[in-house]
Amino acid sequence: MINIPYINKGIFPSEMNAFIDMAEKYACSAVIESGILHGYSTRYLCEWAKSLRKRTYIIPQIYSCEKQILPEVEKYLKETYSKELTLYTNEDSFNVFPKILSGQSFANPFFNTAVLIDGPKQELALQLKDMCFEYSQVQFVAIHDLRKELAVHGDYNTISGYGPHEEFLDEQVGDYKTKYPKGTGLTFFINKKKRQNLNKDSNGWTEQE
């Protein structure tokens, strides 16, 4: 579990924990994120990248995209996570994601990648998800706050119980938890060709001795 202060209206800690759990099971060395707002999920991902680098031989990279980022959030992220994070601001995810996924580093089919979408929302998020799966290295796409009638098409959903969702993870959420007792939901869509790689009983990475 990553221990950082919660930022109001951010994705729930338990939801981020489920995302990280899935990323490690698929041995992902890169995460592409769309939608930053106040930067909680981005900080979480960067802290995970630091942790993974200490535990394994992998140097994970986080790529985050936001159309209208707050200046103070951009400043903090760039100053704090210069090694872990590549930040795209004032750009559209539909334009940025193909550039990232077709880059030289991603040409390697074993460069496993996870995607987190928290903007655009709803049907547009599904379109972005479909575009991501055009690239074989994308192992799974997680969409936050997807309407129930759309979320039912996913492979797993945090509300229905995938991953570790212990209550203590969300204690710091405070009043926001009153509105969403189990979080607003993180729906996972799995690359069908890579589904056999998912093993809920073991992590994908081998830790250093």
Side-chain angles (χ1 to χ4, degrees):
M1 186 184 72
I2 305 300
N3 186 20
I4 60 173
Y6 181 71
I7 299 176
N8 192 36
K9 296 187 177 181
I11 188 171
F12 278 25
S14 61
E15 294 167 338
M16 284 305 301
N17 197 51
F19 182 87
I20 295 306
D21 181 58
M22 186 77 90
E24 294 210 3
K25 289 179 187 302
Y26 275 103
C28 292
S29 52
V31 173
I32 305 177
E33 175 192 31
S34 176
I36 296 175
L37 190 60
H38 298 295
Y40 176 73
S41 58
T42 310
R43 297 181 192 189
Y44 204 106
L45 291 171
C46 289
E47 290 295 333
W48 166 72
K50 286 183 176 181
S51 171
L52 186 63
R53 190 166 63 244
K54 291 178 181 178
R55 293 183 284 117
T56 71
Y57 293 99
I58 303 303
I59 303 176
Q61 288 295 310
I62 311 300
Y63 302 83
S64 296
C65 176
E66 176 60 62
K67 270 188 175 181
Q68 296 177 319
I69 192 170
L70 297 172
E72 61 272 22
V73 174
E74 180 178 6
K75 183 175 184 294
Y76 178 86
L77 292 175
K78 286 183 175 180
E79 290 180 352
T80 309
Y81 302 112
S82 59
K83 293 181 179 180
E84 296 80 19
L85 178 65
T86 301
L87 192 60
Y88 296 84
T89 60
N90 303 313
E91 295 193 62
D92 189 281
S93 301
F94 284 94
N95 296 326
V96 172
F97 277 29
K99 294 178 184 178
I100 299 173
L101 287 166
S102 60
Q104 185 175 3
S105 296
F106 287 86
N108 186 334
F110 299 105
F111 200 86
N112 291 357
T113 304
V115 176
L116 175 61
I117 301 174
D118 196 7
K121 296 290 189 178
Q122 310 311 337
E123 286 83 357
L124 283 176
L126 293 176
Q127 291 179 26
L128 185 59
K129 176 263 296 182
D130 291 340
M131 187 185 74
C132 289
F133 280 137
E134 294 176 7
Y135 299 86
S136 61
Q137 65 268 40
V138 174
Q139 306 297 299
F140 69 90
V141 176
I143 301 177
H144 189 236
D145 197 19
L146 195 61
R147 291 199 311 270
K148 288 183 179 180
E149 65 268 25
L150 299 178
V152 295
H153 299 292
D155 294 287
Y156 301 99
N157 192 292
T158 55
I159 292 178
S160 64
Y162 176 79
H165 301 285
E166 296 84 353
E167 288 295 315
F168 74 87
L169 288 175
D170 292 331
E171 287 181 355
Q172 56 183 317
V173 173
D175 293 341
Y176 199 50
K177 191 177 180 183
T178 304
K179 187 175 181 181
Y180 301 106
K182 295 183 179 180
T184 56
L186 190 64
T187 304
F188 292 89
F189 296 84
I190 313 300
N191 184 328
K192 305 302 182 185
K193 296 180 181 178
K194 304 297 181 82
R195 179 188 289 277
Q196 65 271 21
N197 293 343
L198 181 60
N199 181 348
K200 290 187 178 182
D201 298 320
S202 63
N203 284 333
W205 293 124
T206 300
E207 298 193 5
Q208 299 181 55
E209 297 294 335

